[in-house]
Amino acid sequence: MAALVIWLPVQRLFQTTSVEAIVNARTLTLRAPIDGVVSSAPASLAIGATFPAGTPLLHITNSRADRTRFDDLRRLEEHTEIEAAALKTRLDNIERMHSDFVAQTRLFQIGRIAQLEARIEESKSNLAASTTRQEETAAVLERALELDSKGFQPKALLEKVRRDDEIAKQDVRSIEQRIKGIAVELDSAKSGSFLGDSYNDRPRSSQRADELQQQVVELSAQLTEKQLMIRQLKKEIDVERDRLQLNSDAQVLAPSSSAVWELLTAPGEHVQRGQELMRLLDCNAALVTAVVSETVYNRLQIGSSASFRLRDGDVAMPGRVVNLTGVASATANYAIAPSSLRKEQYRVAVEVPDLANDGQGCHLGRTGQVIFTNQSGAPITATAQ
């Protein structure tokens, strides 16, 4: 027991330890994403206040964001919509007129067909009458020839009878040709073409309907073009609206669970894009900054195991070496600058996860001692403390 009492203090004298160690943490600098005026978010900002990740900390509003492009697109969209509405109204009117002229042409066609059919029937009646007269004159001529052969018929009367018979035959042929001509007109009328001496092959209503149909095609193409342009403008307006929203209104969120370390602005202040607004203390990445002698420093390497014990505590918390800066300047994002430790020149950063997981914050600024694991002839490795 006496030997044990003597050995424990002596063992500590031979352990590889730090000369000086302090609990440190990295700081996060929040910068303004846009130009504008700062206002407080729902969270109450105070030095040391802690926030979970994603908490709104500040709100920046820029009432002077450039909205020229957005306003131009909106005006162009409104102008295009007015033009499209006018084209739609005009198209509807022309389609209605076209329907009226088509109906009028159809009525004209029906009337023309009925007229030609009536003329054919009339001509057939005239043909029947002329045929009857021709038969009658033929019979008279036959009797006149018979009388003439017997010498009882004057020559003048015979010539007259012959002339009347020839006229009757020509009347029959004339009516037959007239019926053929009317039949041709009837067939043309049924197919949509109208033959006559005093008008074109198509009535004015049909020609006007064709002109209106061409205008319907052109206006439909123009209306489709305007509608496509409106859809494209809406897409561009949505993109420009999002851009304007990003440049006119922004919230500054806590990137991780952290505490306010330094406030660099105040509500109502106008800030520039990229200007520093505040610094947060990231206790999720708590570590220990230690200084060691040159002999100890030369035996360490990245990943070497170590343990840390607070100055007033007995619990050794395991860790590992994550940075060896030596006499070089350490990174500037530490809450406590490693250069403030001056007992030795060689600086070491040791990650100690238990400092962030003990529910008491990161113990920033508390001092202690780092003990490095010793193994002769082999790299320093982690062992239980």
Side-chain angles (χ1 to χ4, degrees), residues 97-108:
M97 293 173 61
H98 175 263
S99 299
D100 294 341
F101 279 111
V102 169
Q104 184 177 351
T105 302
R106 180 59 181 167
L107 292 175
F108 179 84

Side-chain angles (χ1 to χ4, degrees), residues 110-371:
I110 294 173
R112 181 61 176 168
I113 291 173
Q115 180 187 26
L116 293 174
E117 289 177 346
R119 287 176 58 187
I120 288 177
E121 294 298 326
E122 178 185 5
S123 297
K124 287 180 178 181
S125 298
N126 293 334
L127 178 61
S130 296
T131 301
T132 302
R133 284 196 300 272
Q134 194 273 331
E135 292 174 352
E136 181 181 356
T137 57
V140 171
L141 178 60
E142 183 180 0
R143 287 195 299 272
L145 291 173
E146 183 180 356
L147 293 175
D148 181 70
S149 63
K150 295 179 180 181
F152 298 114
Q153 181 67 38
K155 294 293 183 180
L157 183 59
L158 178 60
E159 293 298 327
K160 180 179 180 303
V161 171
R162 283 179 176 175
R163 186 173 58 254
D164 292 341
D165 180 65
E166 186 63 24
I167 291 174
K169 289 179 179 180
Q170 295 299 326
D171 288 341
V172 170
R173 283 195 294 269
S174 174
I175 294 173
E176 289 176 347
Q177 294 301 320
R178 187 182 302 118
I179 291 175
K180 290 180 180 180
I182 297 174
V184 172
E185 291 186 36
L186 179 61
D187 293 338
S188 299
K190 290 181 179 179
S191 64
S193 297
F194 304 93
L195 303 179
D197 296 333
S198 59
Y199 46 81
N200 298 324
D201 60 336
R202 304 187 68 186
R204 175 60 181 168
S205 58
S206 178
Q207 297 178 14
R208 182 58 178 162
D210 291 342
E211 295 175 358
L212 293 176
Q213 180 62 32
Q214 183 63 32
Q215 294 184 25
V216 167
V217 173
E218 294 175 357
L219 290 176
S220 298
Q222 295 178 15
L223 181 60
T224 301
E225 180 183 358
K226 295 296 182 182
Q227 291 172 344
L228 292 175
M229 184 181 296
I230 291 173
R231 284 198 290 269
Q232 181 62 31
L233 286 173
K234 288 184 181 297
K235 293 180 181 179
E236 295 182 9
I237 288 173
D238 292 339
V239 172
E240 191 64 23
R241 182 183 292 109
D242 294 340
R243 188 198 65 80
L244 180 61
Q245 180 66 27
L246 290 175
N247 291 329
S248 61
D249 188 87
Q251 281 190 334
V252 180
L253 307 178
S256 64
S257 298
S258 53
V260 178
W261 179 249
E262 187 178 5
L263 291 174
L264 304 175
T265 187
E269 180 182 354
H270 188 277
V271 296
Q272 301 293 327
R273 181 178 180 180
Q275 180 177 334
E276 295 182 357
L277 301 176
M278 65 172 61
R279 293 189 177 92
L280 303 178
L281 191 63
D282 186 9
C283 289
N284 292 326
L287 48 80
V288 173
T289 302
V291 293
V292 298
S293 64
E294 182 179 1
T295 302
V296 174
Y297 181 82
N298 290 329
R299 296 181 59 191
L300 299 176
Q301 62 183 14
I302 301 296
S304 297
S305 298
S307 61
F308 174 72
R309 181 184 292 110
L310 291 171
R311 186 66 64 184
D312 56 353
D314 296 329
V315 179
M317 292 173 281
R320 66 185 184 91
V321 177
V322 294
N323 196 6
L324 297 171
T325 57
V327 296
S329 299
T331 56
N333 66 331
Y334 287 120
I336 300 174
S339 60
S340 62
L341 305 178
R342 300 181 180 275
K343 291 183 179 181
E344 286 287 350
Q345 294 182 343
Y346 297 90
R347 300 176 180 86
V348 180
V350 179
E351 184 182 47
V352 183
D354 289 346
L355 288 175
N357 299 330
D358 63 356
Q360 300 180 9
C362 55
H363 303 282
L364 181 68
R366 295 187 63 179
T367 60
Q369 186 180 42
V370 177
I371 303 171

Side-chain angles (χ1 to χ4, degrees), residues 11-140:
Q11 183 188 23
R12 292 208 174 189
L13 292 175
F14 290 99
Q15 286 179 329
T16 303
T17 62
S18 63
V19 176
E20 186 180 9
I22 189 170
V23 178
N24 210 341
R26 293 184 175 88
T27 57
L28 305 174
T29 301
L30 301 184
R31 301 177 183 272
I34 61 172
D35 298 345
V37 178
V38 177
S39 60
S40 298
S44 177
L45 297 180
I47 302 298
T50 58
F51 304 97
T55 302
L57 301 179
L58 293 173
H59 186 259
I60 302 177
T61 305
N62 184 10
S63 59
R64 297 182 179 180
D66 183 12
R67 53 182 299 129
T68 303
R69 174 65 176 167
F70 178 76
D71 292 338
D72 290 343
L73 289 174
R74 286 295 303 274
R75 284 192 292 269
L76 182 58
E77 181 193 24
E78 293 176 357
H79 180 70
T80 306
E81 288 178 345
I82 292 174
E83 289 182 345
L87 285 174
K88 184 66 170 61
T89 302
R90 185 180 175 189
L91 179 62
D92 292 340
N93 293 334
I94 291 180
E95 286 180 342
R96 186 166 51 252
M97 293 173 61
H98 175 263
S99 299
D100 294 341
F101 279 111
V102 169
Q104 184 177 351
T105 302
R106 180 59 181 167
L107 292 175
F108 179 84
Q109 183 181 21
I110 294 173
R112 181 61 176 168
I113 291 173
Q115 180 187 26
L116 293 174
E117 289 177 346
R119 287 176 58 187
I120 288 177
E121 294 298 326
E122 178 185 5
S123 297
K124 287 180 178 181
S125 298
N126 293 334
L127 178 61
S130 296
T131 301
T132 302
R133 284 196 300 272
Q134 194 273 331
E135 292 174 352
E136 181 181 356
T137 57
V140 171

